[in-house]
Amino acid sequence: MAERGLPDKRRPADKVRGMTWLITGGAGFIGAHVAEAMARAGERVVVFDDMSTGDPRRIPRGVPVVSGSVLDREALDSALRDHAVTGIVHTAAKKQVGESVEKPFLYYRENVRGLQTLLEATVDAGIERFVLSSSAAVYGLPDVDLVTEETPCAPLSPYGETKLAGEWLVRSVGRAHGIGTASLRYFNVAGAAAPELADTGVFNIVPMVFERLTAGEAPRIFGDDYATPDGTCVRDYIHVSDLAAAHLAAARRLAEGGPETELTLNIGRGEGVSVREMVDLIREVTGHTGAAPEVGPRRPGDPARVVASSEAARKELGWSAELGVREMVESAWEGWCLRHPEARR
C-alpha cells in the first residue's frame, strides 16, 4: 500500500458534497451495487455502461445513464462534460479468468486500452479523483498466511495481468497529472443487496453450486488434499454490499484529500472459509442437503489459501466488512430463486 498524502482536514465540507461521480460499468453486478450505495448515501452519480453484460434494470431510479464504451473517447468526453463529472469510479472490465486465457487480445483491449482511453478523457476534463476497481487476481499464488498490499504480485492469467497493469497506469497518470487515486483489490465477491441486483453469471463458487443443486446434481469440489484443515482450498469472501461500501469510502477519502493522495488497498474480510465449508453452508441454506459433494482432481493454479489482510483499508478508509458468509449465501439464493423459481423446495 502506498500513500503520498493525508487528507487535508481544512478542506470545506462542500468540497465533498459538490462531487459528481461517473461510475463506469454501473449496470453490472458490482457497479450497480456501487451506484446504489453511493446514490443512497447522497452522492451525485452518473452510470456509464455499454450494456454488454450490464442490466439497466439494476440502476437506481433517478440516476442518469449514458450508454457507451470506455473505448469510445467521444462518448466519454460528452458524458464527462454534460454531467459536470468531478470524479470517476471505474468498475467496467472483462473479468472471467478462463476467458482471458482464451482471448487475451480482448482482455487487454477492454481492460487496459479502455482504461487508457478513460484516463486520457479524465485528464483532459481536469478531473482529480479516480477509483479503480482492481482484483486480488494481481497476487497470483501467494504463499502467505495473510495477503497484504506488500505481498508480491505475480498474476497467473491475462485477467490478473490487466488488473495489475491497470493499477500501474492509474498510479502513473495520477502522479503525472495531479489526480488522487485509489486501487481496490477485492477478493471473492458474493451476495446481493436485493434479489434484483444479484449476479446473473455462473462463474463463482456460490452460483456454480446453486446451478448444480437446482439441476439435482451434486456440487463439485476440486481437490481435497491441500495443506488446509479439511484439505480443500481456503478463500476470503466478501459481501458485495460491503465491497460497494468500500468504493464509497474510497471515493469520499479522495474527495476529502488532495490530488496527491495515492492508495492501493485490499478489500476482504480477513477470514478464511474452506470450499467444503462453503458448499455445506450453501446446502444448508438452500435446503438441498441430499446431494453430498463430489470430489474431483485439483484445478491447475488453485492456491491452497488466499486470505486478505484488510487492516490498511480500515486505517485509511475507516472501512471494515460487516456482513458474514451466511448473509452472502442467503441473499445470493434469494436472487437466484428470483430468476430460477424451480430451485425452491
Side-chain angles (χ1 to χ4, degrees):
M1 187 274 296
E3 161 68 353
R4 295 188 294 111
L6 296 174
D8 184 348
K9 300 300 183 183
R10 296 169 296 179
R11 289 176 180 268
D14 60 2
K15 176 69 175 177
V16 180
R17 293 196 297 268
M19 297 287 294
T20 296
W21 295 92
L22 184 80
I23 303 176
T24 68
F29 170 50
I30 291 171
H33 277 88
V34 173
E36 191 271 341
M38 293 186 72
R40 181 161 36 86
E43 300 289 341
R44 291 199 298 269
V45 299
V46 180
V47 164
F48 186 92
D49 200 302
D50 66 6
M51 301 300 169
S52 59
T53 57
D55 185 343
R57 293 172 296 182
R58 288 189 175 122
I59 300 170
R61 186 183 303 274
V63 170
V65 182
V66 178
S67 180
S69 165
V70 291
L71 290 161
D72 185 341
R73 178 62 191 271
E74 184 177 347
L76 287 169
D77 288 341
S78 296
L80 298 180
R81 180 184 62 250
D82 295 347
H83 295 277
V85 171
T86 53
I88 308 288
V89 179
H90 182 46
T91 73
K94 296 296 182 184
K95 63 178 184 178
Q96 302 308 324
V97 171
E99 182 183 56
S100 77
V101 174
E102 298 171 358
K103 302 177 180 179
F105 284 131
L106 171 66
Y107 273 68
Y108 273 85
R109 181 173 65 248
E110 294 287 336
N111 294 0
V112 179
R113 192 188 305 169
L115 174 58
Q116 177 181 341
T117 305
L118 175 61
L119 284 167
E120 289 170 348
T122 298
V123 169
D124 287 349
I127 294 168
E128 297 182 344
R129 308 291 185 271
F130 197 100
V131 179
L132 173 67
S133 191
S134 188
S135 169
V138 300
Y139 292 115
L141 292 171
D143 186 20
V144 293
D145 188 54
L146 282 179
V147 177
T148 72
E149 291 79 1
E150 284 73 38
T151 299
C153 293
L156 296 175
S157 67
Y159 166 68
E161 292 167 0
T162 63
K163 285 298 186 180
L164 185 57
E167 289 185 11
W168 293 339
L169 182 57
V170 165
R171 190 157 51 239
S172 296
V173 171
R175 290 173 178 172
H177 296 280
I179 301 172
T181 64
S183 294
L184 306 184
R185 296 172 173 172
Y186 55 83
F187 285 63
N188 299 273
V189 185
E196 60 271 18
L197 293 179
D199 194 0
T200 58
V202 186
F203 303 107
N204 302 313
I205 183 173
V206 175
M208 288 173 67
V209 174
F210 287 167
E211 183 177 58
R212 299 279 296 182
L213 294 176
T214 300
E217 300 173 348
R220 291 192 181 124
I221 292 176
F222 298 99
D224 65 352
D225 58 349
Y226 289 90
T228 60
D230 66 13
T232 66
C233 294
V234 173
R235 296 289 182 266
D236 191 336
Y237 297 92
I238 182 168
H239 198 293
V240 66
S241 293
D242 282 330
L243 177 60
H247 282 76
L248 170 63
R252 286 183 164 174
R253 172 71 163 81
L254 294 184
E256 292 167 354
E260 71 280 2
T261 304
E262 181 183 286
L263 300 167
T264 301
L265 301 169
N266 288 340
I267 305 297
R269 292 173 61 245
E271 299 179 12
V273 178
S274 76
V275 170
R276 186 176 292 279
E277 288 173 332
M278 179 62 86
V279 170
D280 288 345
L281 177 60
I282 294 171
R283 294 169 64 224
E284 176 189 336
V285 167
T286 63
H288 290 261
T289 57
E294 297 176 351
V295 178
R298 295 185 182 190
R299 292 184 301 189
D302 268 349
R305 174 183 169 88
V306 183
V307 179
S309 168
S310 294
E311 183 64 16
R314 186 190 66 77
K315 290 180 178 178
E316 296 291 349
L317 306 181
W319 171 92
S320 59
E322 297 181 355
L323 299 170
V325 180
R326 180 172 289 274
E327 288 92 341
M328 298 179 209
V329 174
E330 290 175 344
S331 60
W333 180 239
E334 289 302 314
W336 179 268
C337 290
L338 180 66
R339 300 184 308 279
H340 305 88
E342 73 279 9
R344 290 196 186 275
R345 287 197 163 185

